[in-house]
DNA sequence: CGATCAATTGACTTAGCTCAAAGCATGTGG
DNA sequence: CCACATGCTTTGAGCTAAGTCAATTGATCG
């Protein structure tokens, strides 16, 4: 788990190498991949990629980011893209442009990433079927998670979605699966709402409801204390 | 496009072979795949697989089916799984079991399919990186489509979702991208509603609204006439 | 210490859900 | 062939969760 902040390009690439290593039968493939990977460090609100010319696979080395859908580009300046999901250190994110609107990664905290052109990545990975397979498995997982999230958004109440969101964040941010836990949310109410298909106000109201129910506490800006993850899971209908 | 009904196992397997052929550099890999593929013919409401023991990749040779989420199995007999999406002839469907609830394919019409154990499929596919890559691309496409659908469900009105659904079906069922078009929907209002996160009643009301607006007509059971696909696209906010 | 921006709270509106009652097909048995 | 039962679809009449609009509070920062 390379979840701490890195200080240099070399250190990021090293942690990428460690992350894919289990799947790699061949050392030279790893070297080739590392040689085409481009390092980026972004400050909050900065976006990758600036121009959406092709598909990318991105290894997020540190920090937190949101994946944002870019509607058919110049719909109007008003329409901000919607949030597809959040990503954290050690995630591999697929940034696709595809038909009628792709996506881009926007930094929530200071982040470091290693970016690959999807095409180049796959050209090299083809030499190592085990790696290709592992990327495929990861993307099937991602598909499964997105399907689940879709159902939730379609069939759950605001309260269930918020509870589910918190359970999810606890697991992804600090690895907590049960018991009490305190997490620092890197995103604002607005991003939370958008990702769940709710408004800022509703998110806020649900937070206060949960606080009144004693399930959470909000000791400070962006900090949430979960008194009991299992109770929240239950609240989320899991 | 192998969208007509097949009459035999051999004919289905042949059409699977034709479907993956473009990605295959190696003929023997195709033969191996065909040899492990299991043929099934299902009547409406029958399910695949009966027991959810492992992940499957399924080639749908003919007919229409719905992909249904199986919640943490025995939640209660009341809770019917929600609909993840619809599939038609020539689709490749990934049926995952994963953590806390997988999915299964339920026939809407009479269907024929060729099923592979995901593991066995990938073991063989590893010998042919081009095939593996093509499966990966397909699953990334699927991910992209699911992401888009998730946003829609989260941020669109009932009317927009129904309009979008009809546009989608026109494209997938009869390949129509614009102009007028008549489609035979293989699923009932209940399935439509569930897949969009709406109730039967709301779906029905939206259909009559669209009918009043002159955008569609419903000449008979399960038949919908779209007077102008582009107008519907606009209605759907595309 | 104001200025700014995010979060909260309140009052009101509304889209879509729930409950309930008809319609309308399709199929079955007499 | 008709009578009737069954299962979809449509339509109607409230109800409620969540959205909208608007004002207040609270943090963060130059």
């Amino acid at each position: 788990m390379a979840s701490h902040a890195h200080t240099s390009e070399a250190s990021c690439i090293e942690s990428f190498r460690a992350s894919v290593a289990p799947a790699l039968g061949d050392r030279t493939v790893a070297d080739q991949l590392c040689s085409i990977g481009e390092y980026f460090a972004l400050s909050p609100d900065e976006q990758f990629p600036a121009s959406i010319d092709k598909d990318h696979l991105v290894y997020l080395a540190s920090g937190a980011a949101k994946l944002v859908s870019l509607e058919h580009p110049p719909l109007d300046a008003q329409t901000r893209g919607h949030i597809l999901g959040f990503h954290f250190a050690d995630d591999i994110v697929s940034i696709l442009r595809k038909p009628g609107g792709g996506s881009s990664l926007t930094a929530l905290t200071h982040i470091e990433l290693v970016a690959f052109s999807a095409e180049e990545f796959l050209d090299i990975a083809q030499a190592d079927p085990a790696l290709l397979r592992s990327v495929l498995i990861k993307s099937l997982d991602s598909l499964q998670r997105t399907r689940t999230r879709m159902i939730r958004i379609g069939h759950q109440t605001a309260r269930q979605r918020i509870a589910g969101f918190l359970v999810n964040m606890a697991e992804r941010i600090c690895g907590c699966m049960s018991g009490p836990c305190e997490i620092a949310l890197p995103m604002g109410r607005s991003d939370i709402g958008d990702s769940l298909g709710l408004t800022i106000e509703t998110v806020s109201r649900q937070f206060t409801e949960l606080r009144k129910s004693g399930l959470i506490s909000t000791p400070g800006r962006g900090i949430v204390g979960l008194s009991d993850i299992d109770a929240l899971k239950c609240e989320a209908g899991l």
Side-chain angles (χ1 to χ4, degrees), chain A:
Chain A
M1 187 71 118
S3 56
H4 58 286
H6 296 265
T7 51
S8 72
E9 169 164 358
S11 142
C12 284
I13 291 193
E14 210 37 62
S15 96
F16 165 71
R17 188 191 292 269
S19 174
V20 297
L24 278 175
D26 187 347
R27 259 184 114 34
T28 69
V29 169
D31 292 334
Q32 283 182 277
L33 281 179
C34 291
S35 79
I36 63 157
E38 288 184 85
Y39 169 87
F40 289 89
L42 303 182
S43 306
D45 283 337
E46 283 189 306
Q47 233 179 334
F48 174 88
S51 66
I52 329 91
D53 46 349
K54 51 186 174 179
D55 293 352
H56 289 273
L57 293 178
V58 168
Y59 173 76
L60 188 54
S62 72
K66 57 183 174 183
L67 187 63
V68 178
S69 82
L70 303 174
E71 334 276 304
H72 349 217
L75 201 137
D76 73 53
Q78 191 70 333
T79 311
R80 305 247 331 269
H82 292 149
I83 291 183
L84 294 164
F86 299 106
H87 289 280
F88 302 95
D90 215 39
D91 281 359
I92 286 180
V93 190
S94 52
I95 299 179
L96 309 172
R97 60 158 159 61
K98 287 290 149 193
S103 50
S104 83
L105 203 63
T106 303
L108 287 167
T109 65
H110 211 278
I111 67 176
E112 293 175 291
L113 57 87
V114 185
F116 304 88
S117 147
E119 207 178 336
E120 286 175 20
F121 185 97
L122 293 177
D123 286 344
I124 292 174
Q126 273 194 341
D128 191 331
L131 173 60
L132 210 45
R133 179 172 179 161
S134 118
V135 174
L136 174 59
I137 296 291
K138 268 191 210 294
S139 87
L140 286 178
D141 281 2
S142 194
L143 178 58
Q144 174 74 356
R145 266 185 286 116
T146 307
R147 279 175 177 168
T148 305
R149 234 149 71 67
M150 187 180 62
I151 289 188
R152 298 250 164 89
I153 289 183
H155 298 278
Q156 294 197 302
T157 66
R159 177 147 191 181
Q160 291 177 308
R161 292 184 227 180
I162 296 290
F165 169 81
L166 290 173
V167 170
N168 202 336
M169 287 302 115
E171 176 175 348
R172 300 186 67 186
I173 293 179
C174 54
C176 296
M177 305 289 290
S178 75
C181 163
E182 183 162 303
I183 51 186
L185 295 178
M187 74 292 284
R189 298 286 185 268
S190 153
D191 285 338
I192 296 175
D194 193 271
S195 80
L196 298 172
L198 300 170
T199 58
I200 320 180
E201 294 95 326
T202 301
V203 173
S204 183
R205 277 187 254 270
Q206 294 306 324
F207 267 90
T208 63
E209 287 289 312
L210 289 171
R211 206 180 310 120
K212 281 177 188 165
S213 307
L215 289 165
I216 66 170
S217 58
T218 50
R221 185 139 211 91
I223 314 282
V224 187
L226 315 185
S227 12
D228 180 5
I229 292 184
D230 300 281
L232 274 176
K233 274 184 189 162
C234 167
E235 201 68 42
L238 301 176

